[in-house]
Amino acid sequence: MNLESTRRRLTERQADTVQRLTQAAVEVLREEGFAGLTVRMVASRAGVAPATAYTYFSSKEHLVAEVFWRRLATEPAVESTAGPAESDRVDRVAAVLRGIALLMADEPELAAAVTSALLGQDPDVEHLRARIGLDIRERLSAALGPGADPDELEALELLYAGALVRAGMGYGTYEKLADRLEVSARLLLE
């Protein structure tokens, strides 16, 4: 899995610095929330100079989007262990949506920050948003199976995106979001 920063290729030492920065970002978010988070604060927590942090992350939005990308990228794909039956397909799609929704269930400050960050116009955020969207599309497409209906795929993407915004606005927990996504996917596909 390619977890390189979106701005440059990384040596082992640089990758360690980026890892420390993303870990520190989560810690600062727990304490300060997204409004209180600054790249300087994260750099200090990670034990690096602010200029070093800005070498890797153009903004706090970019940093938070990178945290989400890394979590998503390490989330295992749903295995297609069952046959091609319709119920298996629906179960796989529900499992994909549930898995993505629960990535941040235990980190409400991070979850809210991700919603805000991904809406940013920073070019580095736009790049990550495209990578994230492609990853989610590929997961859903694989779950739907060969010959997936493009309209169903797009409807599922819209379902997830709308749910992410809704949860980010504070309308329920990510656990409830996961449940609602599963119910909604089943209504859409069955």
Side-chain angles (χ1 to χ4, degrees):
M1 188 66 48
N2 181 1
L3 291 180
E4 285 188 353
S5 171
T6 58
R7 300 184 88 195
R8 60 190 312 189
R9 296 224 175 254
L10 302 176
T11 66
E12 189 174 327
R13 182 175 162 193
Q14 291 168 330
D16 178 63
T17 300
V18 169
Q19 177 61 32
R20 287 194 341 258
L21 286 164
T22 56
Q23 190 171 351
V26 173
E27 293 169 8
V28 172
L29 279 168
R30 283 184 196 133
E31 297 166 9
E32 305 293 331
F34 187 62
L37 179 122
T38 66
V39 175
R40 287 182 173 280
M41 191 181 297
V42 170
S44 175
R45 176 73 57 98
V48 302
T52 299
Y54 279 109
T55 299
Y56 301 107
F57 300 106
S58 56
S59 64
K60 73 180 189 177
E61 291 82 4
H62 180 209
L63 177 57
V64 171
E66 181 76 20
V67 169
F68 180 69
W69 165 246
R70 286 168 175 264
R71 288 201 180 184
L72 178 63
T74 59
E75 176 73 10
V78 172
E79 294 294 322
S80 179
T81 56
E86 185 69 17
S87 63
D88 297 334
R89 180 180 85 113
V90 174
D91 289 344
R92 288 190 308 266
V93 168
V96 166
L97 292 171
R98 176 172 288 285
I100 296 168
L102 293 177
L103 279 176
M104 301 172 296
D106 60 342
E107 298 279 355
E109 296 83 6
L110 174 60
V114 166
T115 300
S116 296
L118 289 177
L119 295 175
Q121 298 304 308
D122 177 325
D124 292 316
V125 171
E126 290 176 357
H127 176 79
L128 273 173
R129 187 171 50 232
R131 285 175 80 180
I132 290 165
L134 181 60
D135 185 289
I136 292 170
R137 172 178 273 271
E138 288 171 352
R139 289 169 187 261
L140 289 170
S141 181
L144 286 168
D149 180 339
D151 290 332
E152 282 183 342
L153 181 57
E154 186 174 358
L156 291 166
E157 289 175 308
L158 290 170
L159 176 68
Y160 172 73
L164 179 67
V165 170
R166 185 177 174 128
M169 293 171 56
Y171 297 132
T173 66
Y174 277 80
E175 290 87 356
K176 288 182 182 174
L177 167 70
D179 293 340
R180 289 305 312 158
L181 277 169
E182 183 172 346
V183 168
S184 297
R186 289 185 187 286
L187 286 170
L188 181 71
L189 297 174
E190 291 181 334

